Amino acid sequence: MRSLLSALATLLLAAPLAGQDYHFTKAMSPGDRLMIENINGKVEVTQGSGRTAEITVAKTVKKGDGSLVKAIMESDGEGVRVCTIYLNQDRNRDSCKGEHNNSTKGQDKLEIDMHYVVSVPRGVRLSVDNVNGEVDARGLDATATIATVNGGLTFEGTSASSLSTVNGSIKATMTRGTWDGSMHVESVNGGIELFFPADLSATISGETVNGGIRSDDTFPITIQGKWGPKEFHGKIGSGSSKLTVESVNGAISIRKAGH
């Protein structure tokens, strides 16, 4: 019996501890900006049907004091921001601004997962900044800016001004063949797959070091200036929109949506 209890105690200690859920809501109008800032954990985003942004954050404590990490919501001149903050330097911290420190002297490093599930109202611009975790955003009807450091990125929407990751791949499907402004897609260690409608019209440029670029027969590229293994400039269709794609260790692919 004693050995059984000991084994059970060891199992309980090894398992992730239940954390707590945070739930935020905010009425937003088309053109407003919703910013999500996470440090450890996945971010999932979908398009909502109403005018209220809904953000649920599930906290799982794997190691350390779970009370030292929380999610908060604040509003400023830039828009509405929901972020993960650490309290191990300041227990009274109540702002997203400040140092994101996850270790202190004499204490073990915190291992706490914050899983964001976000519903964005129609017409609201999305900005996601993650560190350790993948980002999955789908069905968006307004321009988005999404970045993560350690994790893959999946996107589906009308357009994105910027999609970037350091250690991970990018798979993005655009529902429009033209867009305002420029679109920048970048990965350091990972491939990039871009899917567009058949009416894609863009001037494309970028760089790849250890990889290559290819476009399927639907999107023949008219070469403009230099086109080589490390740098490329070309045009698809009339070239009305601007697309910049960069990868260091990974291939770049531009394909028709649905193929």
Side-chain angles (χ1 to χ4, degrees):
M1 176 64 73
R2 182 175 298 174
S3 61
L4 179 61
L5 291 175
S6 177
L8 179 59
T10 300
L11 180 61
L12 290 174
L13 288 174
L17 302 175
Q20 71 181 99
D21 289 350
Y22 301 85
H23 187 68
F24 306 97
T25 60
K26 183 70 173 180
M28 303 186 74
S29 301
D32 289 348
R33 186 182 180 196
L34 176 63
M35 296 164 282
I36 305 296
E37 299 176 1
N38 195 19
I39 299 171
N40 293 299
K42 184 177 182 179
V43 177
E44 296 181 82
V45 185
T46 57
Q47 183 77 72
S49 57
R51 294 262 48 91
T52 301
E54 297 189 19
I55 304 96
T56 299
V57 186
K59 177 166 68 175
T60 301
V61 181
K62 299 179 180 179
K63 182 180 180 181
D65 184 356
S67 68
L68 294 176
V69 180
K70 70 176 183 179
I72 64 172
M73 180 174 72
E74 63 183 15
S75 300
D76 56 27
E78 296 183 85
V80 176
R81 180 181 284 105
V82 181
C83 69
T84 298
I85 63 172
Y86 287 87
L87 306 176
N88 47 353
Q89 288 192 341
D90 180 5
R91 285 277 187 171
N92 296 317
R93 179 180 174 183
D94 60 358
S95 172
C96 295
K97 297 179 180 179
E99 182 181 359
H100 295 305
N101 192 339
N102 65 351
S103 64
T104 56
K105 293 181 180 179
Q107 295 184 3
D108 291 333
K109 184 175 181 180
L110 301 174
E111 293 183 13
I112 298 174
D113 183 274
M114 303 287 276
H115 183 178
Y116 281 66
V117 177
V118 182
S119 177
V120 183
R122 293 192 178 279
V124 170
R125 297 172 296 149
L126 174 71
S127 174
V128 177
D129 190 355
N130 200 7
V131 180
N132 299 309
E134 60 184 284
V135 178
D136 189 329
R138 299 176 186 269
L140 304 185
D141 69 348
T143 299
T145 301
I146 301 176
T148 186
V149 178
N150 298 309
L153 194 162
T154 303
F155 177 84
E156 189 268 325
T158 57
S159 67
S161 58
S162 177
L163 301 173
S164 67
T165 181
V166 177
N167 298 307
S169 60
I170 296 176
K171 184 176 182 179
T173 301
M174 305 299 167
T175 56
R176 291 181 184 172
T178 59
W179 54 89
D180 295 330
S182 61
M183 183 186 305
H184 183 229
V185 184
E186 179 180 10
S187 175
V188 178
N189 297 309
I192 297 174
E193 288 185 282
L194 302 178
F195 297 84
F196 291 94
D199 63 348
L200 171 63
S201 175
T203 298
I204 177 173
S205 63
E207 299 179 36
T208 177
V209 179
N210 298 311
I213 178 170
R214 70 181 182 88
S215 173
D216 63 23
D217 294 338
T218 307
F219 301 128
I221 297 177
T222 301
I223 298 174
Q224 296 178 321
K226 184 177 180 180
W227 188 280
K230 294 186 177 182
E231 184 178 354
F232 49 88
H233 300 277
K235 184 172 68 173
I236 297 175
S238 64
S240 58
S241 300
K242 184 177 180 180
L243 173 64
T244 302
V245 189
E246 297 178 305
S247 176
V248 177
N249 298 308
I252 297 171
S253 174
I254 300 175
R255 302 167 60 186
K256 182 181 177 181
H259 285 206

